[in-house]
Amino acid sequence: MPKPSDTLWDIAKAEVEKKENLEGNGDGVEVWEKSLLFMGNKNGGKTTIILRCLDRDEIPKPTLALEYTFGRRAKGHNRPKDIAHFWELGGGTSLLDLIRIPITNDNIRTFAIILVLDLSKPNELWPTMDSLLQVTRSHVDKIITKLGKTNPKVATEIKQRMWNNMPKDHPDHELIDPFPIPLVIIGSKYDIFHFTSKSEALLLKARVLINHLAFGFDRSKSVSVDQNKPLFIPAGLDSLNQIGPPPASDSDIGKLHAHTPVDLWKKIYEKTFPPKSTSDLKDVNDPAQDPQYAEYEVDAMRAQKNQELEQYKRNASKSWKEMEFES
């Protein structure tokens, strides 16, 4: 307990020493601390997945910007609880600039991305994935490049770690360009395509995978590559040969100018599901009008300021008209 005479510095110092004692208590016990960023389609189910992983029985609310929460887990008795930081980006692709806030130089080695794509909106799926992953990768690459100048060992470790997840004899080795940090892609709302809901079983699989990334629990060893069932494919356990060619005739494929297999799949996909532009996917709602964020005093002050602004505009308009008349 802090003493009444303790300064803020004394309290902070004591907290740091307490944490160091927990991390190095002679038993080889370390506090695990990870960070995860959830992103994807608006209303795609990101909040539901987070709440399920954290055992929180709450009704999901729309995420309008960048929200944060955390969870704690202990892997055994008499062990310190590990900490996981959960970030969620709302608004689909309308708030891409916020991606750089949670991903920093300090946590890049313990960060993972969870991309949740709404399977019930196939026309939005590919452009959403493209926009989010491109911006995220660009930001992560900049961090790693900067680290390479100050701490090349760490930068090399990050790059090598992603290759370590791939079998050395993978048939597509030359075509692979791994995402620089752990990435999980979840197709949400799969149960919509079935007469009987399988969402609980699928949520459980997602929870096991995310708990592995967040708290270091054992990962699921199941693999499913049957296109007639929900896919569950760990990194490196699939190949272009197993996937097969895109569902199009040879003549159609010959007309497409694609430089890579992924580019070819993208063109075939977009021909079947014409994409919406990223500007169409932007959220145009005003968060200030959302009832879930209502605060009487703040809203009253905002209304007053809006009235003052309108009055200022009217006065300014009159003055300009008078000046024009006098001239």
Side-chain angles (χ1 to χ4, degrees), residues 257-268:
H257 300 285
H259 300 289
T260 65
V262 173
D263 192 28
L264 177 61
W265 271 96
K266 178 182 179 180
K267 291 181 183 299
I268 296 294

Side-chain angles (χ1 to χ4, degrees), residues 291-320:
Q292 70 169 311
Y293 298 112
E295 290 188 32
Y296 175 77
E297 293 182 356
V298 174
D299 294 339
M301 180 59 69
R302 181 184 178 88
Q304 178 184 332
K305 293 299 181 183
N306 284 340
Q307 290 177 357
E308 292 175 1
L309 177 60
E310 290 302 318
Q311 184 63 45
Y312 172 81
K313 288 179 180 178
R314 287 194 291 269
N315 292 339
S317 177
K318 289 179 182 178
S319 63
W320 277 105

Side-chain angles (χ1 to χ4, degrees), residues 166-176 236 238-242:
M166 306 297 299
K168 294 182 179 179
D169 58 349
H170 195 283
D172 304 321
H173 191 276
E174 297 300 322
L175 298 172
I176 294 173
D238 207 349
S239 67
L240 291 171
N241 184 55
Q242 287 177 290

Side-chain angles (χ1 to χ4, degrees), residues 93 124 275-284:
T93 59
E124 298 180 12
K276 293 184 178 181
S277 67
T278 53
S279 59
D280 293 335
L281 302 179
K282 289 189 177 182
D283 183 11
V284 296

Side-chain angles (χ1 to χ4, degrees), residues 26 29-30 62 64 67 121 164 169 184 203 218 242 288 298 323:
V29 177
E30 292 185 1
L64 296 178
E67 294 192 2
K121 300 177 181 177
N164 290 341
D169 58 349
V184 174
L203 274 172
D218 292 339
Q242 287 177 290
V298 174
M323 292 175 63

Side-chain angles (χ1 to χ4, degrees), residues 102-305:
I103 311 175
T104 67
N105 295 3
D106 296 329
N107 64 17
I108 189 69
R109 285 190 291 176
T110 57
F111 212 99
I113 302 295
I114 314 294
L115 178 62
V116 182
L117 299 174
D118 189 339
L119 298 177
S120 69
K121 300 177 181 177
N123 300 84
E124 298 180 12
L125 191 150
W126 203 293
T128 297
M129 176 182 68
D130 253 359
S131 298
L132 291 170
L133 290 186
Q134 283 179 16
V135 173
T136 304
R137 180 160 200 158
S138 175
H139 176 61
V140 171
D141 284 343
K142 287 179 182 177
I143 291 178
I144 295 175
T145 300
K146 186 177 179 181
L147 274 175
K149 297 176 181 177
T150 58
N151 196 335
K153 184 178 179 181
V154 171
T156 302
E157 174 195 324
I158 293 172
K159 295 176 183 178
Q160 187 59 44
R161 182 179 58 184
M162 301 315 299
W163 276 110
N164 290 341
N165 293 326
M166 306 297 299
K168 294 182 179 179
D169 58 349
H170 195 283
D172 304 321
H173 191 276
E174 297 300 322
L175 298 172
I176 294 173
D177 182 16
F179 202 75
I181 57 177
L183 167 67
V184 174
I185 300 178
I186 297 176
S188 65
K189 302 184 183 180
Y190 176 86
D191 54 297
I192 290 177
F193 303 101
H194 286 258
F195 296 107
T196 57
S197 174
K198 298 182 179 180
S199 59
E200 287 301 317
L202 297 179
L203 274 172
L204 180 60
K205 278 194 172 186
R207 175 179 172 171
V208 170
L209 179 57
I210 292 168
N211 277 336
H212 165 71
L213 291 172
F215 302 108
F217 290 112
D218 292 339
R219 72 171 72 189
S220 173
K221 295 182 179 179
S222 64
V223 179
S224 175
V225 295
D226 185 349
Q227 64 179 3
N228 298 309
K229 298 178 181 179
L231 300 176
F232 190 87
I233 308 172
L237 295 186
D238 207 349
S239 67
L240 291 171
N241 184 55
Q242 287 177 290
I243 295 171
S249 65
D250 291 341
S251 60
D252 286 341
I253 291 178
K255 296 175 184 177
L256 299 173
H257 300 285
H259 300 289
T260 65
V262 173
D263 192 28
L264 177 61
W265 271 96
K266 178 182 179 180
K267 291 181 183 299
I268 296 294
Y269 183 92
E270 290 179 342
K271 187 176 180 181
T272 307
F273 303 105
K276 293 184 178 181
S277 67
T278 53
S279 59
D280 293 335
L281 302 179
K282 289 189 177 182
D283 183 11
V284 296
N285 294 330
D286 182 0
Q289 306 302 322
D290 195 304
Q292 70 169 311
Y293 298 112
E295 290 188 32
Y296 175 77
E297 293 182 356
V298 174
D299 294 339
M301 180 59 69
R302 181 184 178 88
Q304 178 184 332
K305 293 299 181 183

